[in-house]
Amino acid sequence: MTTSTLLFSPVEADLKLLTDNLKQLVGARHPILYAAAEHLFRVQGKRVRPAIVFLISRTTMPNQEISPKHRRLAEITEMIHTASLVHDDVVDESEIRRGVPTVHSLFTNRVAVLAGDFLFAQSSWYLANLDNLEVVKLLSEVIMDLAEGEIQQGLHKFDTDLSIDAYLEKSYYKTASLIANSSKAAATLSGVSPELAQDMYYYGRYVGLAFQIVDDILDFTSVTESLGKPACSDLKSGHLTAPTLYALAEKPTLEKLIERELAQDGDLEEAIQLIKDSHGIEKSQELATKYAKMGVEHLQSLPDCDSRQALINLTDYVLSRLY
């Protein structure tokens, strides 16, 4: 049993049902689109986003069974996340995701883009059928944020003037927005107070930012096999993340390498070494820890139960991936 399975034990049965349902939900008429979607859901990720939806749903519905709408929200959340990964892989020209070939490398770019579009469309249709305007607004905003994050990332390739604040804004759009808004949506479906629903939004926001910062650190400290994608792929693509941005303040040579887009032989290797020799990774760890702690602070109003404890433990798990 993996760490994440133990972590999500209060909602293990919910996640099993979700995995079964996802394959049925994407029953596309076109066999290639269906094959692409089935490939995506056959690859087992950690299912962190729907797990958070289930944990918040159960914590905000104490002594009651969660509703079919909570379950559908978790499924929609995973569909949106998966659709965004398909499009990201096309834009980034990634050949591997979670250790297996990406959709566009198995099929074609055209099929991958259509598969991503199809999943976004399916999720939007199921979202509308929840008949809850507030939840529709929250998750529709996520889809806009994902596009905004991708645009911002594309506009700032090899941009050594990028600030930490701009990096965090992009990280919110690309990663934290889905976790934050689906967390608030889960609480909204439970009928909690607006204040508690907003607390769930901030929990998701801060955990999402911590999660992204940790991912960006692991891009430098892990090997391809454990990452499920090529190591240092962000830097190679010109996407400057927290470790690089902090290192730029210490290492003038790094700026020169990045400004010439790591074009010469040995540039990438030298840049990676400069980042590892700086305090960039250490400062990024401190930033991730800060956001994880801020996330926990927004759980204080929830009743004490296994699901609430799992939400707290999740923040520890996010940080533990570094060690």
Side-chain angles (χ1 to χ4, degrees):
M1 188 174 281
T2 64
T3 305
S4 57
T5 306
L6 286 169
L7 180 64
F8 300 142
S9 56
V11 293
E12 187 180 351
D14 298 323
L15 289 170
K16 172 70 171 67
L17 186 59
L18 171 127
T19 302
D20 295 340
N21 285 347
L22 281 172
K23 292 176 187 175
Q24 295 173 21
L25 288 178
V26 294
R29 295 183 187 90
H30 196 293
I32 293 181
L33 272 184
Y34 180 75
E38 192 178 42
H39 166 73
L40 291 167
F41 293 126
R42 194 169 61 241
V43 178
Q44 283 295 320
K46 295 183 179 68
R47 303 276 194 245
V48 170
R49 290 152 189 82
I52 291 173
V53 169
F54 283 132
L55 289 168
I56 288 176
S57 300
R58 291 206 168 275
T59 310
T60 51
M61 296 278 286
N63 307 315
Q64 298 179 62
E65 186 49 53
I66 61 173
S67 71
K69 289 187 177 183
H70 285 112
R71 295 191 183 282
R72 184 50 49 88
L73 174 64
E75 292 157 6
I76 290 166
T77 299
E78 186 68 356
M79 289 173 76
I80 291 172
H81 172 56
T82 305
S84 72
L85 296 184
V86 178
H87 283 175
D88 280 359
D89 288 339
V90 173
V91 171
D92 297 339
E93 300 179 346
S94 302
E95 298 298 314
I96 297 172
R97 165 75 68 176
R98 293 170 181 165
V100 300
T102 53
V103 172
H104 73 89
S105 65
L106 273 182
F107 301 93
T108 62
N109 277 358
R110 177 180 165 80
V111 168
V113 170
L114 289 172
D117 289 348
F118 168 70
L119 287 173
F120 275 129
Q122 284 279 73
S123 64
S124 297
W125 188 84
Y126 286 118
L127 183 60
N129 279 276
L130 288 177
D131 292 325
N132 187 307
L133 185 57
E134 177 67 15
V135 171
V136 170
K137 287 179 179 178
L138 287 167
L139 273 294
S140 298
E141 188 173 326
V142 170
I143 296 173
M144 289 192 297
D145 286 348
L146 287 166
E148 174 69 25
E150 200 61 51
I151 291 166
Q152 282 195 15
Q153 184 166 280
L155 289 174
H156 293 286
K157 289 178 78 168
F158 298 105
D159 180 4
T160 55
D161 291 325
L162 186 72
S163 67
I164 284 288
D165 285 345
Y167 156 76
L168 288 170
E169 181 180 59
K170 184 265 296 178
S171 298
Y172 171 75
Y173 287 142
K174 282 182 65 71
T175 301
S177 173
L178 177 57
I179 300 174
N181 285 293
S182 61
S183 294
K184 183 176 181 178
T188 300
L189 288 174
S190 298
V192 303
S193 69
E195 293 78 17
L196 184 52
Q198 195 63 18
D199 271 333
M200 296 305 94
Y201 167 84
Y202 281 117
Y203 169 79
R205 180 187 183 101
Y206 295 138
V207 169
L209 287 173
F211 195 90
Q212 185 58 57
I213 296 163
V214 167
D215 260 7
D216 294 338
I217 294 167
L218 291 173
D219 198 41
F220 290 99
T221 61
S222 292
V223 294
T224 297
E225 288 73 19
S226 59
L227 281 174
K229 62 177 184 177
C232 298
S233 57
D234 284 332
L235 180 61
K236 188 176 181 181
S237 302
H239 306 320
L240 308 191
T241 58
T244 304
L245 295 174
Y246 282 126
L248 276 166
E250 292 179 45
K251 305 286 185 181
T253 311
L254 181 60
E255 186 173 350
K256 294 175 187 174
L257 296 173
I258 292 171
E259 284 182 345
R260 69 181 183 218
E261 300 189 0
L262 308 171
Q264 297 182 15
D265 285 347
D267 277 3
L268 177 62
E269 292 75 16
E270 186 179 351
I272 292 166
Q273 195 57 53
L274 285 167
I275 292 163
K276 289 183 175 180
D277 289 344
S278 75
H279 293 95
I281 289 170
E282 182 186 334
K283 287 183 176 178
S284 301
Q285 289 171 343
E286 291 169 1
L287 189 63
T289 302
K290 180 183 99 170
Y291 282 120
K293 287 179 178 175
M294 287 168 68
V296 171
E297 288 171 9
H298 286 277
L299 298 175
Q300 303 307 315
S301 302
L302 291 174
D304 190 16
C305 61
D306 288 347
S307 295
R308 175 180 179 270
Q309 189 57 50
L311 289 167
I312 294 169
N313 293 345
L314 175 61
T315 62
D316 293 330
Y317 166 71
V318 168
L319 298 175
S320 75
R321 293 162 66 223
L322 294 170
Y323 304 104

